[in-house]
Amino acid sequence: MSGSAVPAWFNRLPAYSRRPGTRLVIVDNQVLSYRLLDGHRDADYDVLFGDPRVVLQIGRMVIKETLRSVGIEDTGMEQDRRGRPVRVGPVIHRPGLPIALHRRMWEEQARLQDQGKLVLVGGFATEQQRILHDRFTALIDAGCNRNMGPKDAHVVAEALVRRIPLFCRDDRARRSFAAGVERGGALAAELHAANLAGFAATMFLP
């Protein structure tokens, strides 16, 4: 890819130490779905998914969102002492993708992993990182109103704690996070205490 085609945000990506010559970016569920399921194309998406120097990273929340199929989490039934089924609660459905889309998402993510374009990271390097992630998740969820739900809060908190930019085109979530920080309070205080206020201000891409 020629230098003239590289977007400005490319130079903001940190180097990926495990693969010299590459850079790392976190992406959310929407980005993966738009490209892998809908085939969305534009200049930014073509760099994300086509430039071998860019490695995509997803964490536990996005892994769950994109690699789980629709199903039943709990039937709400148990057996009584005689082995007869008895309803003890409602049927709880597991969120996820319909079977056909689920299969395609699995196949496309596997292809990206084979190409060295995608890494799945389920945990944190230290207990301190995990604790900080959980703390930020709760603060973001509480302080950024309804346009920043719990799942979004998990993804944003992960990008913060790992100090890796997040490619996200969900404008409502981005505005909600910015508003939550600007209001001050516990979220802004925690960002300053963790020395993350500066990174938070430039974390979102593009």
Side-chain angles (χ1 to χ4, degrees):
M1 182 171 289
S2 64
S4 61
V6 175
W9 53 260
F10 176 85
N11 294 318
R12 292 164 54 190
L13 303 181
Y16 184 32
S17 60
R18 294 187 178 182
R19 296 177 190 164
T22 63
R23 299 181 181 224
L24 201 58
V25 61
I26 290 177
V27 295
D28 62 12
N29 174 40
Q30 184 186 80
V31 170
L32 285 177
S33 296
Y34 278 9
R35 181 64 170 218
L36 302 185
L37 300 182
D38 300 336
H40 179 78
R41 300 186 66 91
D42 65 27
D44 288 325
Y45 272 65
D46 287 349
V47 172
L48 280 175
F49 290 90
D51 192 323
R53 295 171 297 176
V54 178
V55 176
L56 313 178
Q57 178 172 305
I58 60 174
R60 182 171 298 172
M61 179 55 63
V62 177
I63 293 170
K64 287 181 179 180
E65 287 185 285
T66 59
L67 294 180
R68 295 180 73 178
S69 62
V70 171
I72 295 177
E73 191 80 22
D74 188 339
T75 64
M77 304 291 288
E78 291 183 1
Q79 291 184 342
D80 65 13
R81 285 181 293 180
R82 295 184 179 181
R84 297 174 299 188
V86 177
R87 180 161 298 282
V88 296
V91 175
I92 299 175
H93 290 274
R94 180 180 69 232
L97 294 169
I99 297 300
L101 294 180
H102 176 247
R103 183 180 301 113
R104 192 191 315 169
M105 178 64 80
W106 265 99
E107 292 171 349
E108 290 299 310
Q109 286 199 26
R111 179 179 59 81
L112 290 174
Q113 290 182 73
D114 289 342
Q115 294 173 352
K117 282 286 298 172
L118 177 68
V119 292
L120 280 60
V121 181
F124 292 92
T126 66
E127 181 67 8
Q128 182 180 5
Q129 275 191 329
R130 187 196 62 77
I131 293 171
L132 193 60
H133 169 267
D134 292 348
R135 172 70 172 155
F136 273 121
T137 297
L139 290 173
I140 293 167
D141 186 31
C144 296
N145 74 45
R146 62 187 180 186
N147 288 327
M148 177 70 76
K151 293 179 181 179
D152 297 322
H154 272 279
V155 177
V156 172
E158 179 166 354
L160 278 170
V161 171
R162 297 189 190 281
R163 295 177 183 262
I164 300 173
L166 170 62
F167 192 99
C168 170
R169 281 188 170 167
D170 186 339
D171 290 335
R172 293 187 306 169
R174 292 173 64 145
R175 287 194 299 267
S176 293
F177 178 75
V181 174
E182 289 172 5
R183 279 193 291 269
L187 175 57
E190 190 73 25
L191 286 171
H192 282 285
N195 197 28
L196 284 169
F199 176 73
T202 61
M203 172 180 62
F204 287 102
L205 304 176

